[in-house]
Amino acid sequence: MKYTPELEGFRAQVRAFIDERLGPDLRNRLRQGFPASKAELQQWQRTLHERGWAAPHWPKAYGGADLSTEQRLILLDELFRAPAPIPLGFNVTMLGPLILAYGTEQQKRFFLPKLASLELWFCQGFSEPGSGSDLASLRTSARREGDDFVINGQKIWTTGAHLADWIFCLVRTQKTERKQEGISFLLVDMRTPGITVRPIVSIDGEHHLNEVFFDDVRVPMTNLLGEEGRGWDCAKFLLANERTGIANVGLSRERLGHAISLAAMLGESGNDVALQPWFLQEIAILDAEIRALEVTNWRLLVGDDERSAAFASVLKLKGCEMQQRVMVLLSKVAGPEGLEKRPSRGEESKHWAAALDPRYFYSRAASIYGGATEIQKDILAKAVLERA
Amino acid sequence: MNFTLNSEQRQLQDTLRRLLSDHYSFEKRRVISASAEGWSAAAWRKMCELGISALSIDEGRGGLGGNAEDIAVVMAELGRALVVEPFLPTAVLAACALGGADPDVAAGLLPRIAAGEVLLAWAHDERTARHRFDCVGAAAELRDGRWLLTGVKSNVLHAPAAEFFVVSARVRAPSNTEGVALFLVDARCPDLSCRPYRLVDESLAGEITLTSALAVPLADPLDHQRQEAMLGAVRRAGTAALCAEAFGVMQAAFELTAGYVNTRVQFGRPLAANQAVRHQIAEMAVALETCRSAVGMAAAAVDDPISGFQDISRAKLLIGLHGRTVCHQAIQLHGGIGVTEEYKVGHCLRRLVVLDQLFGDADAHAQELATQLVQATEVMRSQQRSNCDD
């Protein structure tokens, strides 16, 4: 697979831009395996936004750059390669395109530029304690009172709710026979009275996830996205749109490169991990798989492959497997050096192995969120068995 | 970048698929492979009428001037039907070698290969080489102005049916540099003997022994650079073609299995009603898509003269790895019938094992790739260090 000269030219532009604008400190911390802080992500997304590259696939009129899918994939690839922070997915990959498709002109003008620049930080209120993979069984409700909706209920596994300014939610506005009906899609300001955010500390000892409680939370009608009762359409559209970033090819490739680089570093101090058969076997397989995934990604997203829709599950399944395998590899490279529990900030966090085990632990979430592996296999099996 | 077939390729695929489903059913294949010859001249002629034997050959030499993607389309279809005809040895490997040969050697043969009138075999592998492509023990010596070859070549595909062999042998130049060169040997040469046998998938092969056998060099045997280029071209085209065939084999195993679990009823419902079964089907589909991409990237690498061998190596690794897994799952989901001689799915695994072993198996390619990856990183690190020192 070769990219056209035009696309290679675009890649060079992106690379030069990142090299000029991304600070070495942030780059090093990301390479080590730590996430960017809220302030760092805000600043970096603003920087990208100057070029329209925070939401590259949106129309220019709303803060995008009208880039093609090909260019967008290359941009993502270069961000991962650097490594640089990736623009907030909730804003630019999920909610933005949804507002473009279903929003009123007023909603577009108000939200889109702020989503692209990260002036507003959104989180996603989908999962509930009783509704994990079976999303449509959700019970958080909203009743109409005058020009407002009044929300009651609870969301869970809400990534970044403690950082977010707004939340987009699926809520039940009607009791219907089919559980997919009667759901509405609401945009809610996190400062609204009645919202409580409670942290959930995850397996890596960090705070990414939250519970969000809604207690008579009043939301104006104007924050309804799409039609009342048709929120399930929005959810499906949004999940389908998530496809582009779903394989995370660039991330896995960068992490694999880092593992090999660490092994080479260890070699210089006399450790022979880079010569061990298990290591060589695993890097070869991962390198080959990741390259093939890059081609599959391209084939299914850019090519006119008619199987694209159902086969997005292939991207999620394979992408996940790769991500999780490179994280295991990095943890094994860290070896005993990774055992000491180190803080994620400050001087001790600068140890090369500090982030590797925690990052590996949290990577187990990748096959659970965004449609668990089991759900993806169900979807894929249905598609291929129907055609058999 | 193009991973979807163009209209000509699609047409080629359709016609070949139709021909094979009409004339090369699995039952027919069993009869052919059980025959004394082990292949079918009549079936091969029908395939050649579609022009497939002319694909690898330049238009100026009686061929169609196809590219590696076209070859991949054909190989995948042949794999899907478990065809035991001589397309790979004659129309890919020998044709590719002759494509780089001197005109006086190639001119007579290429149009005849294109027309499907002559069979050749690629005699390169030796027992001790295992997966080292450059390990050649057969020797060539120049005596009284004639080249004579001595050595033993094993697993030569379609050897008993071949009229000519393209043989690799080691040559020592006057400057004392050593290299491997390619030669053409007539199968009727009295100093060549062939021990015919079948591979584990019932396909035809043989071991040939050369004892000072008269040979015609494809090009100046002392021109190591040119010889290396010819060998490299065969290795690239051959490895990529094998990947495509393996993909076709996987496809066959997958299609059979999906059809089977939909119709086979146990405990009052089709097997496909069980989630454990459905999930295996999904895993097979993921492997198949991965290999489809692998075939595409290998073919693209063959067609791109400046690209390295890496994508081809990656593809061969993935095909070996996932090909086996998919065939194992296919057999498992079929239950008892899957391990019988009379049913096709077991033959898919048998063919896949053969394909994995030719032109370097998955582990050999993994080793080569890993070595390159580590070396490249070490080079990068030492460059970074010297930049810091500057």
Side-chain angles (χ1 to χ4, degrees):
Chain A
M1 180 170 99
K2 262 184 66 183
Y3 295 99
T4 62
E6 291 75 26
L7 288 175
E8 286 298 353
F10 177 71
R11 185 189 290 282
Q13 257 182 53
V14 174
R15 197 172 286 189
F17 180 83
I18 295 173
D19 284 345
E20 192 195 320
R21 305 292 297 269
L22 181 68
D25 285 356
L26 176 53
R27 196 187 276 230
N28 283 335
R29 275 186 69 75
L30 291 170
R31 192 171 287 140
Q32 246 192 302
F34 287 112
S37 70
K38 180 174 182 177
E40 284 167 333
L41 185 55
Q42 280 170 323
Q43 205 207 323
W44 177 245
Q45 190 160 328
R46 257 202 310 277
T47 306
L48 286 175
H49 183 54
E50 289 169 25
R51 290 288 298 256
W53 288 350
H57 50 307
W58 300 3
K60 282 185 182 151
Y62 297 113
D66 275 319
L67 294 194
S68 64
T69 307
E70 288 96 320
Q71 288 171 314
R72 192 179 163 212
L73 285 174
I74 283 171
L75 177 59
L76 255 180
D77 212 40
E78 285 301 311
L79 289 171
F80 277 124
R81 196 195 70 91
I86 305 301
L88 187 69
F90 297 125
N91 278 26
V92 301
T93 323
M94 301 174 87
L95 184 58
L98 185 66
I99 291 180
L100 276 167
Y102 289 86
T104 61
E105 192 49 44
Q106 205 182 352
Q107 287 172 330
K108 288 181 195 172
R109 275 204 305 267
F110 178 78
F111 285 109
L112 291 174
K114 296 184 182 65
L115 289 176
S117 66
L118 204 50
E119 189 183 328
L120 290 183
W121 183 306
F122 260 88
C123 62
Q124 178 197 49
F126 279 14
S127 295
E128 296 185 8
S131 311
S133 289
D134 180 11
L135 187 56
S137 69
L138 59 92
R139 292 168 62 181
T140 295
S141 70
R143 62 171 195 273
R144 283 280 287 277
E145 272 190 27
D147 287 340
D148 292 338
F149 285 106
V150 180
I151 310 177
N152 279 286
Q154 183 196 345
K155 297 291 176 182
I156 197 169
W157 314 125
T158 319
T159 299
H162 57 302
L163 308 171
D165 307 301
W166 282 67
I167 181 168
F168 55 86
C169 289
L170 289 175
V171 295
R172 191 160 293 286
T173 45
Q174 233 183 326
K175 285 224 161 58
T176 50
E177 210 160 291
R178 278 193 74 237
K179 62 183 176 183
Q180 285 83 358
E181 288 163 16
I183 292 174
S184 297
F185 197 103
L186 293 180
L187 310 176
V188 184
D189 188 333
M190 291 292 279
R191 292 167 309 184
T192 320
I195 295 182
T196 313
V197 176
R198 191 187 290 166
I200 302 172
V201 176
S202 43
I203 187 170
D204 54 350
E206 298 291 323
H207 176 198
H208 313 279
L209 305 168
N210 302 274
E211 291 178 286
V212 182
F213 297 89
F214 296 83
D215 187 12
D216 282 331
V217 175
R218 297 190 85 86
V219 178
M221 284 277 297
T222 47
N223 287 4
L224 171 71
L225 191 60
E227 280 176 53
E228 187 175 339
R230 302 297 298 271
W232 192 248
D233 294 347
C234 293
K236 278 200 303 194
F237 177 92
L238 181 147
L239 295 172
N241 251 292
E242 213 184 341
R243 287 211 303 262
T244 311
I246 214 169
N248 278 315
V249 180
L251 170 66
S252 296
R253 177 172 288 150
E254 186 274 331
R255 292 287 80 192
L256 174 62
H258 188 56
I260 301 171
S261 175
L262 285 178
M265 174 197 84
L266 288 168
E268 285 157 21
S269 57
N271 183 307
D272 69 348
V273 63
L275 300 175
Q276 285 168 16
W278 66 266
F279 179 78
L280 294 170
Q281 178 86 3
E282 186 65 1
I283 60 170
I285 293 174
L286 286 172
D287 171 75
E289 291 270 20
I290 291 167
R291 171 70 168 146
L293 182 60
E294 179 184 17
V295 176
T296 309
N297 204 32
W298 197 274
R299 198 155 56 74
L300 296 178
L301 295 174
V302 181
D304 50 353
D305 203 307
E306 70 273 17
R307 294 159 308 164
S308 304
F311 277 69
S313 294
V314 172
L315 299 177
K316 173 81 202 301
L317 286 165
K318 199 77 209 181
C320 228
E321 185 201 331
M322 291 302 105
Q323 254 180 82
Q324 294 184 327
R325 272 174 80 169
V326 287
M327 299 302 176
V328 171
L329 179 67
L330 277 161
S331 165
K332 288 174 75 173
V333 169
E337 276 296 290
L339 291 181
E340 183 178 338
K341 190 175 171 191
R342 299 177 178 93
S344 55
R345 278 159 207 85
E347 205 49 38
E348 283 179 74
S349 74
K350 291 184 179 146
H351 189 283
W352 64 269
L356 300 180
D357 278 341
R359 184 83 187 271
Y360 152 54
F361 297 145
Y362 196 59
S363 75
R364 301 318 301 171
S367 49
I368 298 167
Y369 59 63
T373 287
E374 288 70 19
I375 301 292
Q376 303 295 346
K377 286 184 184 173
D378 283 347
I379 294 171
L380 185 55
K382 184 164 185 282
V384 298
L385 286 170
E386 270 172 6
R387 298 183 328 146
Chain B
M1 211 161 348
N2 183 16
F3 292 102
T4 42
L5 303 185
N6 63 33
S7 62
E8 281 170 12
Q9 287 165 340
R10 201 167 286 278
Q11 203 186 346
L12 173 65
Q13 184 184 47
D14 288 347
T15 338
L16 184 54
R17 188 174 290 193
R18 208 171 319 118
L19 175 82
L20 294 173
S21 78
D22 291 348
H23 300 284
Y24 220 95
S25 65
F26 178 63
E27 289 67 34
K28 186 79 187 289
R29 189 260 193 196
R30 285 187 76 205
V31 173
I32 293 171
S33 61
S35 69
E37 295 77 24
W39 67 292
S40 160
W44 173 237
R45 199 175 316 115
K46 280 203 186 75
M47 292 175 205
C48 292
E49 281 164 14
L50 299 182
I52 63 170
S53 51
L55 275 177
S56 292
I57 295 164
D58 288 346
E59 283 168 301
R61 299 164 123 174
L64 292 170
N67 59 21
E69 273 188 32
D70 301 330
I71 299 293
V73 169
V74 172
M75 287 299 286
E77 289 311 309
L78 299 181
R80 209 166 153 268
L82 297 178
V83 168
V84 290
E85 308 307 327
F87 181 75
L88 178 70
T90 298
V92 179
L93 304 177
C96 178
L98 287 170
D102 287 340
D104 57 324
V105 186
L109 280 171
L110 285 173
R112 293 183 61 212
I113 294 176
E117 291 167 2
V118 62
L119 296 188
L120 284 85
W122 167 250
H124 174 67
D125 288 355
E126 297 178 17
R127 285 210 159 140
T128 49
R130 283 190 74 97
H131 296 300
R132 288 165 300 168
F133 188 77
D134 54 359
C135 180
V136 171
E141 64 171 323
L142 189 61
R143 208 186 292 161
D144 306 329
R146 304 189 317 170
W147 285 95
L148 303 176
L149 306 190
T150 300
V152 182
K153 298 285 179 180
S154 63
N155 291 342
V156 178
L157 304 180
H158 266 265
E163 292 153 70
F164 294 94
F165 293 95
V166 177
V167 184
S168 59
R170 196 158 285 280
V171 183
R172 193 180 292 276
S175 59
N176 230 13
T177 58
E178 246 189 26
V180 175
L182 292 177
F183 297 86
L184 193 68
V185 180
D186 192 318
R188 290 166 304 184
C189 169
D191 306 308
L192 178 150
S193 67
C194 174
R195 178 178 69 82
Y197 56 89
R198 298 301 174 88
L199 301 182
V200 289
D201 67 338
E202 306 296 350
S203 66
L204 188 60
E207 180 176 79
I208 62 166
T209 304
L210 304 132
T211 320
S212 297
L214 181 63
V216 179
L218 296 197
D220 178 4
L222 303 179
D223 185 346
H224 294 322
Q225 215 176 344
R226 177 145 176 228
Q227 292 289 345
E228 232 169 72
M230 275 197 295
L231 269 158
V234 176
R235 186 183 185 210
R236 294 164 75 88
T239 313
L242 286 172
C243 289
E245 181 177 346
F247 173 71
V249 173
M250 289 169 73
Q251 226 178 0
F254 179 71
E255 284 166 8
L256 275 174
T257 310
Y260 185 79
V261 299
N262 268 339
T263 48
R264 167 81 169 165
V265 174
Q266 288 287 278
F267 300 106
R269 56 184 192 165
L271 291 181
N274 299 291
Q275 198 181 35
V277 171
R278 299 178 76 83
H279 282 191
Q280 283 202 61
I281 293 285
E283 286 162 18
M284 292 166 80
V286 172
L288 215 62
E289 289 308 308
T290 300
C291 291
R292 192 193 297 276
S293 295
V295 170
M297 75 201 199
V302 174
D303 287 334
D304 176 15
I306 59 161
S307 90
F309 194 70
Q310 265 195 342
D311 269 349
I312 302 172
S313 233
R314 288 173 175 136
K316 191 67 171 44
L317 159 58
L318 292 173
I319 285 284
L321 195 68
H322 295 304
R324 278 181 201 253
T325 312
V326 163
C327 289
H328 293 170
Q329 284 174 310
I331 291 171
Q332 176 67 26
L333 291 177
H334 273 90
I337 189 79
V339 290
T340 61
E341 160 73 28
E342 64 172 308
Y343 193 71
K344 184 175 175 182
V345 80
H347 291 264
C348 291
L349 175 63
R350 291 163 70 175
R351 182 63 186 158
L352 210 120
V353 165
V354 170
L355 295 171
D356 182 32
Q357 290 302 322
L358 300 174
F359 283 86
D361 70 352
D363 295 319
H365 284 282
Q367 206 178 2
E368 195 177 320
L369 268 174
T371 310
Q372 286 169 10
L373 286 168
V374 171
Q375 274 168 2
T377 307
E378 278 165 357
V379 168
M380 212 170 68
R381 285 184 61 82
S382 69
Q383 277 169 353
Q384 277 165 355
R385 264 200 311 277
S386 65
N387 286 348
C388 291
D389 294 344
D390 287 347

